[in-house]
Amino acid sequence: MPLDIVPDLSCLGNTPVAVELDRLARGEPWFTTQIAGLQFYDYARRDEDLDIVVMPANGDMLQLVRHPENAHDRNAIEIHWRNTRMLGHVPRDLARDVAPLLDSGASGRAYVVDAGDGEAWSCRALVVGQAATP
């Protein structure tokens, strides 16, 4: 799936994504993608209970959550931040390829590589692991 070179993560060496640097250098499968649906979920919204704006930082870990019961897309893969805040989804065309891999037990670890500016389609994720196999 990689259509471009491995993103330069050197400036994120003190963030959770740093654990992937050696794995990526050894050829671990990966891809980057925009996060779909940011405008419909928690991204860039204020959480009054926690007194925060839901805005992940570059390098933050994300969670890929399969949602096969989704009425609009049986291959839906939700993207969560801090385990509780839904940011959006893996885009439908990409989810069609990744969902069966996740369903078969392939690992997929995700991180923010561009936190965006609060607007739709502005946040990008890096997915690493067997679920990113082309």
Side-chain angles (χ1 to χ4, degrees), residues 48-133:
E48 298 299 331
D49 294 334
L50 298 177
D51 196 30
I52 63 166
V53 173
V54 176
M55 196 70 168
N58 290 341
D60 280 359
M61 182 174 248
L62 300 170
Q63 294 76 41
L64 301 175
V65 179
R66 276 287 285 124
H67 191 221
E69 311 82 30
N70 182 303
H72 304 287
D73 182 5
R74 64 181 175 83
N75 292 313
I77 304 169
E78 296 176 352
I79 298 178
H80 294 230
W81 176 63
R82 295 189 178 172
N83 292 316
T84 60
R85 301 289 176 248
M86 185 170 164
L87 299 180
H89 290 92
V90 170
R92 182 184 299 251
D93 290 347
L94 189 53
R96 182 178 43 242
D97 296 330
V98 176
L101 295 169
L102 290 173
D103 292 346
S104 70
S107 67
R109 301 171 307 279
Y111 304 87
V112 177
V113 290
D114 183 345
D117 59 11
E119 297 297 318
W121 295 99
S122 67
C123 187
R124 291 188 65 80
L126 167 72
V127 176
V128 181
Q130 293 307 308
T133 301

